Amino acid sequence: MRILVAVRRVLRDALGHFDADDGWSMASHLAITALMALFPFLIFATALASFLGAKAFSDTAVHIVFDTWPDQIAEPIAREVLSVLSVPRGDFVTFGVVAAAVFASNGIEALRTSLNRAYRVTETRSFVFRRLQSLAFVMIATVGFLAISVLLVFAPILARIAEAQFAWLGPYMGTITIWRYVIASGVIVLGLVAVHVWLPAGRRRLIDIAPGIVFTLVAWLVGSTLFAAYLDRFSSYVSTYAGLASIMVAVVFLYIVSAIFILGGELNAAIRRYREARRRVEG
């Protein structure tokens, strides 16, 4: 009974604050900003990878980004992204690529604003620090994607060598597609941990952010599955938006994911407030 009371209070606090603090509007802002930051980030990452000699990075990066999206959304967007990334851009250190990094960091700033509201904290760090931190997130994500792309390229080769040396490994060898899904899921988990720990003002322990991260992952899986089923059976986006259908579907999907992401932060904040209230009562 006590658990049910606690769950009800936490959910009422989280959902109430989400609604009172314009959570739906923030989800819309985050979705549009994320879509606008996606192309600049991939352009910047591809340019850096080409500069470092990883010419086949773009295809791998697109898989990492879109493998966790429903196929109906990912396939048309991924095609457009690949066509953009295939355009030669010359040297890495150019104004356009630097501008792409700055625009990509705007997506990080949107995440920060959303989480500051969700965690009910006031930002006290300077604009310079925040912008440098956002650019650092972009750089770290780029280097991480580059490392993963190299791993995905060499993993099948190493697997074939191991299988040739040890025949008994054959039945246990997974496909590269499975590895892509595992790695993409790992990137999401690490990314969620990083943004919840470092982006908002204040300090949080891993135990403080774990409930929201678990909620985000589960709700993302359920939400994307239901949205994909809706697109298969009931959607009229193509007839309504014609050539813009893929973009509109992506915006709606990112809106759903953004709302889930913000609710994860709200859930963490509500649980923390409940625990603090319990300690005051019991103390």
Side-chain angles (χ1 to χ4, degrees):
M1 185 65 180
R2 181 177 174 178
I3 295 177
L4 291 177
V5 172
V7 170
R8 187 167 61 249
R9 288 182 179 176
V10 167
L11 290 179
R12 184 186 300 135
D13 186 9
L15 295 173
H17 189 267
F18 177 84
D19 183 64
D21 209 21
D22 300 321
W24 299 114
S25 298
M26 288 303 300
S28 178
H29 165 65
L30 184 56
I32 296 300
T33 307
L35 188 61
M36 292 177 64
L38 180 61
F39 279 81
F41 167 71
L42 289 173
I43 290 171
F44 172 77
T46 302
L48 176 59
S50 299
F51 178 75
L52 297 176
K55 302 296 185 181
F57 170 82
S58 59
D59 183 64
T60 305
V62 167
H63 277 301
I64 296 171
V65 171
F66 293 106
D67 272 350
T68 53
W69 292 34
D71 291 339
Q72 300 93 323
I73 307 169
E75 289 180 4
I77 299 293
R79 285 198 301 269
E80 296 302 323
V81 170
L82 281 173
S83 67
V84 170
L85 297 183
S86 63
V87 177
R89 288 184 169 79
D91 294 336
F92 166 63
V93 185
T94 63
F95 174 78
V97 173
V98 173
V102 174
F103 283 123
S105 70
N106 289 338
I108 306 296
E109 288 301 311
L111 291 175
R112 187 198 308 278
T113 302
S114 301
L115 286 177
N116 277 336
R117 288 197 176 194
Y119 282 110
R120 307 151 203 210
V121 294
T122 302
E123 186 59 68
T124 58
R125 294 166 293 183
S126 68
F127 170 81
V128 174
F129 173 86
R130 285 182 279 125
R131 183 56 68 171
L132 288 176
Q133 187 188 49
S134 296
L135 289 170
F137 263 86
V138 172
M139 287 297 299
I140 292 170
T142 301
V143 173
F145 273 39
L146 179 60
I148 291 168
S149 69
V150 173
L151 176 64
L152 287 176
V153 169
F154 283 102
I157 299 174
L158 295 176
R160 284 195 295 269
I161 293 174
E163 189 175 5
Q165 296 295 321
F166 307 100
W168 58 272
L169 288 175
Y172 303 99
M173 288 293 177
T175 64
I176 190 61
T177 302
I178 295 176
W179 278 108
R180 282 212 314 262
Y181 278 103
V182 171
I183 291 174
S185 301
V187 168
I188 291 174
V189 173
L190 291 176
L192 286 172
V193 170
V195 298
H196 278 276
V197 170
W198 287 302
L199 276 188
R203 294 185 178 182
R204 283 150 299 279
R205 299 170 299 169
L206 186 58
I207 193 173
D208 295 327
I209 65 174
I213 290 177
V214 172
F215 166 80
T216 301
L217 293 173
V218 173
W220 184 331
L221 177 62
V222 173
S224 61
T225 302
L226 293 176
F227 190 54
Y230 163 74
L231 291 177
D232 276 340
R233 292 171 175 80
F234 309 109
S235 176
S236 60
Y237 281 97
V238 173
S239 60
T240 304
Y241 296 105
L244 296 176
S246 59
I247 298 297
M248 293 305 301
V249 170
V251 169
V252 174
F253 175 70
L254 287 174
Y255 180 76
I256 295 171
V257 171
S258 298
I260 291 171
F261 173 79
I262 296 172
L263 279 170
E266 295 282 5
L267 183 63
N268 287 337
I271 292 174
R272 185 170 182 175
R273 280 162 58 87
Y274 176 78
R275 287 173 177 169
E276 290 173 351
R278 291 293 305 175
R279 283 196 294 266
R280 287 195 298 268
V281 171
E282 295 172 357

